[in-house]
Amino acid sequence: MTATQCVIGLLVSGVVAATSSVCGGPDLEPVLHALPPTTSQAVIVHAPTAATTYATLETFEKVDGDWHPVFPAMVARIGENGFSDHHRESEPSTPTGTYGFGDTLYGLEPDPGTHYPYHVLAVDDWWNANPSTPGYNTFHHGADPGGASEALWQVTPQYAYFAFITYNVPPVPGAGSAIFLHANGSDDTSGCVSLARPDLLRVLRWLDPTRSPRIVLGPDDELA
């Protein structure tokens, strides 16, 4: 049984997967304790190999100096090319590393009750994916910034709700843009992390900017 099959089985059976060790994953304690001391919420997205498009997403919070699991392990989708240590613009891979979340959450649907400022997407809301522009890898309202910029208001159901993962911030031209935590589409992603809509809402409502949340992305062997 693969780690992903294990997680799916746990969710179907209603068993709470408290830690990765339930499904034979890595010991995440060292990863959690390596986070900044001001961080008390953590999302870890990991997979048995870098080449898979399925991953496990786990949530943790720090209470009185100790890390504890929050929700059952969730099945996530990642990039078509899996995880990459060298993600580039327009490559369908999910960048490895530890990142924060943007200051604003976005979505086609109204605010579901988050702790963050929330922006309901409108016509001419873009994510600038043009490396030759000053606003590369930022939200933009107005004319198309060019390049591979995304018309955010047209991406459904994925952008019903999403959080910006602060990969390539401050931006290096060509290193990649628009890495989000968003709702599942029909398959893998172009580099983002996606969840079933109920799981995504659970995570987005839980995240709190006052707790300096971080997201860690990578295959099990790198996390270990």
Side-chain angles (χ1 to χ4, degrees), residues 104-144:
T104 301
L105 302 185
Y106 302 88
L108 294 164
E109 302 291 337
D111 186 349
T114 69
H115 297 287
Y116 280 79
Y118 186 89
H119 175 80
V120 178
L121 296 172
V123 175
D124 291 332
D125 282 348
W126 301 82
W127 202 268
N128 186 340
N130 185 347
S132 65
T133 61
Y136 177 55
N137 198 26
T138 64
F139 174 85
H140 169 81
H141 178 77
D144 182 354

Side-chain angles (χ1 to χ4, degrees), residues 60-183:
F60 299 88
E61 62 184 8
K62 186 165 60 176
V63 179
D64 296 329
D66 295 323
W67 286 98
H68 304 276
V70 179
F71 302 121
M74 304 173 189
V75 178
R77 301 304 304 270
I78 59 173
E80 178 184 352
N81 290 351
F83 284 118
S84 173
D85 295 333
H86 306 286
H87 177 76
R88 301 292 295 172
E89 185 63 51
S90 299
E91 290 181 358
S93 60
T94 299
T96 58
T98 300
Y99 309 103
F101 293 96
D103 293 337
T104 301
L105 302 185
Y106 302 88
L108 294 164
E109 302 291 337
D111 186 349
T114 69
H115 297 287
Y116 280 79
Y118 186 89
H119 175 80
V120 178
L121 296 172
V123 175
D124 291 332
D125 282 348
W126 301 82
W127 202 268
N128 186 340
N130 185 347
S132 65
T133 61
Y136 177 55
N137 198 26
T138 64
F139 174 85
H140 169 81
H141 178 77
D144 182 354
S149 297
E150 289 193 71
L152 299 174
W153 76 97
Q154 296 179 356
V155 183
T156 182
Q158 292 94 323
Y159 293 173
Y161 312 97
F162 72 87
F164 172 51
I165 296 172
T166 58
Y167 165 76
N168 195 24
V169 175
V172 174
S177 61
I179 301 299
F180 303 142
L181 174 63
H182 65 65

Side-chain angles (χ1 to χ4, degrees), residues 32 35-42 62 67 211-214:
L32 292 165
L35 294 173
T38 55
T39 292
S40 60
Q41 288 184 327
K62 186 165 60 176
W67 286 98
R211 303 182 68 181
S212 301
R214 294 291 185 272

